[in-house]
Amino acid sequence: MKKDAPQYVVSSIVALGGLLFGYDIGIMSSIQEMEHFNEYYGYPNALTIGIIVSSLTIGCFVGSLLSAPLADRYSRKLTILIGAMVCTTGSAITYASVNRAMLIAGRFVNGVSIGFLSSVVPMYQSETSPPANRGRMVSLQQWAITWGIFIAFGIDYGCSYIPGERQFRLPLGLQIVPSIVLLCAMAFMPFSPRWLVAHDHIGDARQVLGRLRAYGHASAPEVAEELRLIHQTIKHERENKSSSYWELFRFPNRRRTLLGCGMQFMQQFTGINTLMLYAPTIFRDIGFSSVQSVALFQAINGLVNVSSTVPAIL
């Protein structure tokens, strides 16, 4: 087994959180065009569809605010476990929804879980990876998001041929599968070495680093060196701890804050989420009449998205 294999395994497993995020983004896009969905929910108008779709984003906002204090106090691992449990609950609600309010509630609960996972999974990946491979490990999260979108589009296409309520309930319910897999797998994942050091569990951190970096040899020199660097970084952060969020907008942090927020804003401002969420409506408006043809083109769109992410990982 290669020396870096454990970190790839750990980062790939927690990247299921990204897959769940992508699945939630993509699943409603074609469902909102399905005849049986519209018939069951009373042919919702554009405003209602917008509320159903955006309830996920509102939940994400709430979940992202809650994730940081939970991750700092109870660990990154347990926060991901909570996110997986909340996602399973939200998926069950959407699958069993009998009216619009229940569907919106389920989407909101799913959003809360995605807020947890999208914030904490990259943090966990970066803290369990060595500096040399950290960027690649974190990029697995984004690739998993694109895979989740593509899988959702493909499932929508396949289910578009199914008659009755199963046409839309099956895609909504299948999200339970990866969330349960993530929930079970996280029970066997290590705690973040950085979190362990921050909470004075030095011996446990040394054991985790040994398993991740040196075939289980906690006394290896590279383990001792990384442990020293983690401890040094945490000590520096505690000595220079900011008193409020306003410190982010003061020198010398202001430029970093603006760069980070600016990149995130411009990525969203390209309109990619609108395309992912409402592409079937766009395809229908330009002349594709059947649900199957719309779902097929959406699946192709998702495949292009997956392929275009590969260069970022390499």
Side-chain angles (χ1 to χ4, degrees):
M1 183 176 68
K2 291 185 177 181
K3 196 172 185 179
D4 58 357
Q7 70 191 43
Y8 276 96
V9 171
V10 170
S11 293
S12 298
I13 287 174
V14 297
L16 281 171
L19 187 142
L20 290 169
F21 187 11
Y23 193 95
D24 257 328
I25 291 174
I27 200 62
M28 282 302 301
S29 60
S30 294
I31 284 180
Q32 60 186 283
E33 297 295 320
M34 292 180 178
E35 177 62 26
H36 294 291
F37 171 83
N38 284 283
E39 180 182 343
Y40 186 87
Y41 291 104
Y43 295 95
N45 57 28
L47 175 61
T48 305
I49 289 292
I51 294 172
I52 292 171
V53 172
S54 63
S55 57
L56 176 77
T57 309
I58 298 170
C60 286
F61 177 77
V62 174
S64 63
L65 292 178
L66 297 173
S67 63
L70 285 173
D72 284 343
R73 183 169 183 177
Y74 299 109
S75 82
R76 288 70 161 123
K77 175 180 175 176
L78 291 182
T79 305
I80 294 172
L81 278 166
I82 293 170
M85 286 189 287
V86 174
C87 187
T88 303
T89 302
S91 300
I93 293 171
T94 56
Y95 174 77
S97 60
V98 296
N99 52 45
R100 298 175 187 178
M102 191 172 175
L103 179 61
I104 292 169
R107 292 275 292 170
F108 176 81
V109 173
N110 270 348
V112 172
S113 74
I114 298 307
F116 285 169
L117 296 173
S118 62
S119 300
V120 182
V121 165
M123 186 191 306
Y124 180 87
Q125 288 173 319
S126 67
E127 292 179 0
T128 54
S129 303
N133 285 347
R134 193 162 290 159
R136 179 173 294 177
M137 295 301 101
V138 174
S139 69
L140 291 176
Q141 161 82 347
Q142 179 58 38
W143 200 36
I145 292 173
T146 63
W147 271 106
I149 294 171
F150 173 59
I151 290 170
F153 290 165
I155 289 174
D156 278 348
Y157 173 66
C159 290
S160 65
Y161 291 94
I162 300 175
E165 291 181 25
R166 289 182 304 164
Q167 186 183 67
F168 66 88
R169 290 202 186 275
L170 188 58
L172 292 173
L174 282 175
Q175 188 177 12
I176 294 175
V177 176
S179 65
I180 290 178
V181 172
L182 177 61
L183 181 63
C184 295
M186 281 306 299
F188 302 96
M189 294 297 102
F191 285 91
S192 158
R194 192 184 190 283
W195 183 86
L196 289 170
V197 172
H199 288 76
D200 299 320
H201 301 299
I202 308 300
D204 292 335
R206 184 180 288 108
Q207 293 298 323
V208 169
L209 286 171
R211 292 198 298 272
L212 291 174
R213 308 282 190 269
Y215 300 108
H217 301 300
S219 58
E222 59 266 35
V223 170
E225 175 61 17
E226 187 167 349
L227 194 63
R228 184 189 68 80
L229 291 174
I230 292 172
H231 189 273
Q232 188 179 59
T233 302
I234 292 173
K235 181 180 178 182
H236 175 77
E237 289 176 356
R238 285 174 176 171
E239 291 174 351
N240 298 274
K241 189 175 182 180
S242 298
S243 57
S244 73
Y245 283 110
W246 287 112
E247 294 293 329
L248 295 172
F249 300 97
R250 294 172 182 163
F251 183 83
N253 297 319
R254 180 170 56 240
R255 185 170 182 269
R256 299 167 188 166
T257 302
L258 292 175
L259 281 172
C261 293
M263 286 189 293
Q264 289 291 329
F265 172 80
M266 294 308 296
Q267 188 267 341
Q268 295 296 309
F269 199 63
T270 60
I272 184 61
N273 275 6
T274 302
L275 183 61
M276 292 298 172
L277 294 169
Y278 295 104
T281 303
I282 298 171
F283 290 143
R284 184 194 61 196
D285 290 344
I286 63 176
F288 296 99
S289 56
S290 71
V291 174
Q292 287 77 16
S293 61
V294 166
L296 177 59
F297 275 96
Q298 184 73 320
I300 294 172
N301 180 33
L303 181 59
V304 172
N305 191 29
V306 170
S307 304
S308 300
T309 311
V310 174
I313 300 175
L314 300 177

